[in-house]
Amino acid sequence: MRTTMAQQNSTTDDITEVAAQDDHVRMIFGILEGEQEADLLLRNLHIVDVHTESVYPGSLLVHGERIIALDPDESIVRYRESFDGEGLYAIPGLIDAHLHFESQLAHPAAFGEAIVPSGTTTVFGETLDFASAAGEEAIDAARALFADHEKLPYRLYAFAPGKKTSPEVTEAMLAMDPVIGLGELAHLSYMTGNADDFRKSALGRANAGFVNCHWGVTSLSDMLLNYMPAIGVDNNHDVWNEDDIEKSIRYGLNTQIKFGVGSPEVIRTMLRAIVKRRWPAENFQLCADNISVDRVLRQGHIDWVISLAVEMGMPPIQAIKMGTLYTARSFHKDRDLGSLSPGRFADIVLTDSLSKINPRYVFKGGKLVAKDRRLLEPVGIDYSVLAKQPRPGLGDLRAEQLELTPIEVSDDGTRAKVLLFDVYGRGHLKFAQEVWVPVRDGVVVPEYDGVRLNRISVVQRYADGQRHIVNALFTGVSLDRGAVSTFWPAPAAYFVVVGSDSTEMRENLRHLDGLVGGCVVTEDAQVKAVLPLDFYGVMADMDLAELVEATRSIDDALAKLGNHNEGEPVVNKLLTLFISLDRFGFMK
């Protein structure tokens, strides 16, 4: 029987792999016998064992990025370096189960500067808006985004777009490293049996990867609640309340509790429900979804929500497991991540408390990468190839197109029905409402329930025939004068601008239209602050310090115009609007 060249190559590869593994197992044996040197011994620790939910004093031996021994015999083992853990608690590196890179406006290296000092050493990241924004360049853009990801101070596992791009883009990205599965599905399209969604789901299943779910489960029909897990959906991050959580876990979904979107009270509501209902913590993982780097620096990342879970009444190690072992297990990565056991990556956080996580030291693969909430070395990855040139589209926009016009006027002419958008409208309040407001001297007064509100205009950037514009009232940003605008290119290129004067709003938009994307604050048509997003209009070509300075300059400028902001920076708040604007049909 003749042997093909492919068979010969396969056999050669198998022999090479076996030989490499033979060297490896002999090396580990030799280290533990004291015949060879390990890389690192971390001693004087209080080790948190997430498997038995106990704490014990001990040490960890590390070699080749992985833990190879618990409490090794120090009279025998040899090592190149040692580290005194100062009696601190050693917990596994924290894991974010679901986030969108483009939503925090930072490229992967800049994002790492923010999250790693908070103890996060692994991220499962979505790229759907980035790929959608890149359009025909999506495949090359994704390769550039993932380039040198091994140099990041955290581990990156990514997902190919489950929506907003073509199946061809999804298929190409599924073949890339570090992509492990299919990202968020647009489930609502299954009501009509969208062929592209079926194709993407099939690609995800054929790739033996994971499939991510999206949409508050209480909004789904009984058919879809069964259909999604039946086709292989593994997890669901879109829960907002107790009913959502109960349905999500009942239908067998790994349920990701998110804290980066919407009102800060939402995360407390969900954690209280878990504690009150005594649902096993093994059902849950922790994720940011969308979060600004500014908020991470001020508040923390996964470390903060673990501490909050303890505050809500959850036992500390159970809370830690939601941000470590249970997340790793949900992605079948618990042989590599999520616990401090032999064979796992030496991703380790040393904290002085378990009830309030305070990362004093952070290790990735046995290398100290952060100390006292500061990254020790800058990440030298150049993403500038992703920068694009502006492509303006608002040259013919007129101020009168931004005027607030009634949907309906009362018979006596004293009231008008208009749209009202809420910046925190997703999940726990209605995003868009039709409300009655006063009319005085034939003019609509932007006032609801006695509160003066700003106006908002949602403006299509590139008109195809008649330009699509939606004008409404807005709660969430309150300006005495001036205007602020943001842009988002995916799945369609749209601006939002907030203000009270149509001419000011138009001039503000013209300034932003001269950029690839970003956020602009104006007063009397003069730019007061600007945040450019040069990477396809969704990411900044900046390091962490530059990005934080730019986002804070937006808030500082708006404060001088009368806005009082709490929580996320205004630019991040406004950018989350595009999710709902798309979801509820306010963009073409």
Side-chain angles (χ1 to χ4, degrees), residues 41 187 392 402:
L41 177 70
H187 339 319
L402 308 181

Side-chain angles (χ1 to χ4, degrees), residues 92-108:
L94 306 180
I95 306 172
D96 190 325
H98 177 91
L99 65 82
H100 296 256
F101 273 120
E102 57 280 332
S103 297
Q104 60 272 340
L105 315 181
H107 56 61

Side-chain angles (χ1 to χ4, degrees), residues 443-492:
V443 178
V444 176
V445 178
E447 180 180 297
Y448 180 62
D449 281 348
V451 177
R452 189 82 174 184
L453 298 177
N454 282 130
R455 291 168 20 215
I456 186 171
S457 292
V458 182
V459 182
Q460 184 183 25
R461 187 172 196 175
Y462 306 114
D464 181 13
Q466 185 176 358
R467 189 180 305 278
H468 181 236
I469 298 175
V470 178
N471 298 315
L473 295 182
F474 184 61
T475 179
V477 174
S478 179
L479 302 178
D480 296 332
R481 59 195 186 279
V484 58
S485 62
T486 57
F487 167 74
W488 200 247

Side-chain angles (χ1 to χ4, degrees), residues 28 42 93 121 124 155 160-161 280 307 310 339 371 383 386 392 399 406-407 417 420 431 438 462 464 468 500:
I28 299 298
L42 290 95
T121 57
F124 291 87
R155 302 187 192 281
S307 302
V310 177
S339 66
K371 177 182 177 181
Y383 296 98
L386 294 170
I407 300 170
K417 181 184 288 184
L420 170 64
F431 170 69
Y462 306 114
D464 181 13
H468 181 236
S500 56

